[in-house]
Amino acid sequence: MYDLIIIGAGPAGSSAGRIAGKNGLKTLVIEKEMFPRYKPCGGALSEHAKSYLDFEIPEEIIERNILGGRVRFRGKSIEYFKDYRLSVIVTRSIFDNFLLEKAKETGIDIHHGEKVTDISQSDSHVSITTNKDSYKARYVIIATGSQGKLKTVVRREDNKSECGVCLVTEIEENDEIIDQYIKDAIEMHFGVSGVGYGWVFPHKGYYSVGAGSVMAKHLPYPKKAMQDYLKVNGFTGEYKLTGHVIPCGGHKRKLVEGRIILSGDAAGFVDAFTGEGLAYAIRSGQLAADIITENAGNGSNLQELVNYEKICYSEFGEHLKYSLIFTKIMHYFPERSFNAFIKETDILDMFLEVVTFNRTYKDLVKWLIFNFKLRWLKK
């Protein structure tokens, strides 16, 4: 009988595992893949996300320091840079494996290459069946990302207005050429196939290029959108495209059912505008492990596990709610919104303050509405 079983060894699962191990919980992490494994992702790790870690990231894992960005919209573009670091670029297979090793340091058990096939719970414990064995635990954290069906033991599947789709590929290139294209910055291209977006992130020896939308219903042909985006950026080779579903943050979702908690992408914790989820994966995993530790020590009053939802909302739930409102404003009024983004540095500066978590999306939404009304009244 384990105190805690964590399903999934990505950033949410590994972060939960590290906290659980440090808190003295007998913990097992079950991961269906063998680590390190490939993970389709741009690989931008914000300073906000890094701030949640209780250890330093080795320099050899950091491929680029990002100081700014290039925003593009319908033939127009603007570049912006700060005198401080906004994020770092990592390869997710390497970074995720590093996080798992940091969790392993605390003495928890980790099973690679084992897939969970069934979950059931009773009043006293949760039973887990895999393709190799069966286990019992007092609590379970599901941190399997947005893919898969396991999260449906807690909540329903997202519909097409509550999730998005992205395709990504890696394109090898000489570092000098990458520096000439975009050095110390990331590129975001909005208005791709309507309400979609694209990105070009510089890595060490390759670009991560992707396209998609956080609202799948507005991007019926994601593969074509990605192919068109590659051509627009001069990438004309034959590339392997990997697709994945991303939850659109800001929607109300159930996170706790009995002794089972969702964290990370499985819980829907993703910025609705940028698609960033690493910070929320790390933090929600930590919060889940902490509240389970507290619950295990006070007589297992399962009602108190529901506080996890309140704690997540107080830390970043409202932020994600307003990221969705901001996304709708930007994409439903694209000409006015993105043209303002391109032309006016005030909006960019405010947005960067939001990205670094020095300001909130709520602040940005209020600022936008006030300024749009002010311009309308001046006309």
Side-chain angles (χ1 to χ4, degrees), residues 14 16 32 41 125 142 155 168 227 235 248 291 332 339 357:
S14 292
K32 67 178 182 179
C41 181
H125 65 274
I142 296 178
R155 68 174 179 90
V168 64
Q227 291 170 336
F235 300 121
C248 180
I291 202 162
Y332 290 164
N339 279 331
F357 235 63

Side-chain angles (χ1 to χ4, degrees), residues 125-142:
H125 65 274
V126 184
S127 297
I128 301 289
T129 303
T130 75
N131 59 339
K132 295 183 178 181
D133 211 335
S134 59
Y135 309 90
K136 292 180 181 180
R138 297 173 66 191
Y139 304 93
V140 165
I141 295 173
I142 296 178

Side-chain angles (χ1 to χ4, degrees), residues 302-338:
L302 297 185
Q303 285 299 111
E304 294 186 10
L305 285 187
V306 180
N307 288 334
Y308 169 74
E309 295 184 2
K310 298 176 182 178
I311 295 169
C312 286
Y313 187 83
S314 67
E315 284 217 12
F316 52 76
E318 184 180 63
H319 190 71
L320 295 180
K321 172 185 172 182
Y322 277 90
S323 79
L324 179 59
I325 295 172
F326 177 71
T327 300
K328 290 179 177 179
I329 292 173
M330 297 299 287
H331 287 303
Y332 290 164
F333 306 98
E335 290 294 338
R336 178 180 295 184
S337 301
F338 286 109

Side-chain angles (χ1 to χ4, degrees), residues 3 55 93 102 156 192 226 242 260 328 348 352 374:
D3 294 319
F55 47 82
S93 59
K102 297 302 290 185
R156 63 170 175 79
V192 175
M226 177 62 169
T242 303
I260 304 172
K328 290 179 177 179
L348 274 176
L352 288 178
L374 190 63

